[in-house]
Amino acid sequence: MGAQQWVTSTVGLAATFGVIATLWQRQRSEHLDRRERASERVRLREQQARHDEQQARAEWWRRWEWAVELASADDPAREGAGAATMEALADSPLITASELGILEVFGRMSEWSSHGSD
C-alpha cells in the first residue's frame, strides 16, 4: 500500500471515529438533558403539591376561625352550627400536631366555660 493510500485510510478512519464520537456525545448530552428536565418536572410537581397543601391548610384555619366565631354566638342555632363545624374540622387530615394541641386547649377552655355557666 502506498503512502497516499495510508494517508487516505488514516484520514477516513479519523473522520469515522470523529463522527462516532460526535454522535455518542450528542446522545449522551440529550439523555442528560431529558433526565434533567424530568427531574425539574418532578421538583415542580412537588413544589406545587406543597403549595396546594399550604393553601388547603390556610383555608382550614380560616374555616376554623369562622366556626369558633359561630360557636361563640349568642344564638343557639348558630352556636350549634359552629360546634358541629368545629367537630367536622377536627377530623380533617390537614391538622398538624400543633393544631391538635390548639384544639385540645380550646376544648378544655370550652369545658371550663360551660362548667362555669352551670
Side-chain angles (χ1 to χ4, degrees), residues 81-100:
T85 303
M86 288 168 58
E87 285 181 30
L89 288 170
D91 292 333
S92 172
L94 296 171
I95 293 179
T96 63
S98 63
E99 288 158 343
L100 278 174

Side-chain angles (χ1 to χ4, degrees), residues 45-62 93-96 99:
R45 276 195 301 266
E46 290 171 350
Q47 183 180 17
Q48 184 64 46
R50 282 191 304 274
H51 179 264
D52 292 347
E53 183 178 355
Q54 289 171 347
Q55 291 299 105
R57 289 177 32 90
E59 181 60 28
W60 179 92
W61 191 254
R62 282 190 289 277
L94 296 171
I95 293 179
T96 63
E99 288 158 343

Side-chain angles (χ1 to χ4, degrees), residues 18-92:
V19 168
I20 290 171
T22 299
L23 292 174
W24 174 80
Q25 191 280 333
R26 178 180 163 201
Q27 183 180 17
R28 182 174 175 268
S29 176
E30 287 175 353
H31 172 73
L32 292 174
D33 285 346
R34 280 191 301 273
R35 199 165 78 189
E36 186 176 316
R37 283 193 306 270
S39 294
E40 180 67 14
R41 283 192 302 270
V42 167
R43 188 187 66 73
L44 288 174
R45 276 195 301 266
E46 290 171 350
Q47 183 180 17
Q48 184 64 46
R50 282 191 304 274
H51 179 264
D52 292 347
E53 183 178 355
Q54 289 171 347
Q55 291 299 105
R57 289 177 32 90
E59 181 60 28
W60 179 92
W61 191 254
R62 282 190 289 277
R63 290 177 183 176
W64 175 258
E65 291 174 334
W66 175 77
V68 168
E69 288 177 23
L70 271 179
S72 303
D74 292 332
D75 178 16
R78 290 172 56 92
E79 184 179 344
T85 303
M86 288 168 58
E87 285 181 30
L89 288 170
D91 292 333
S92 172

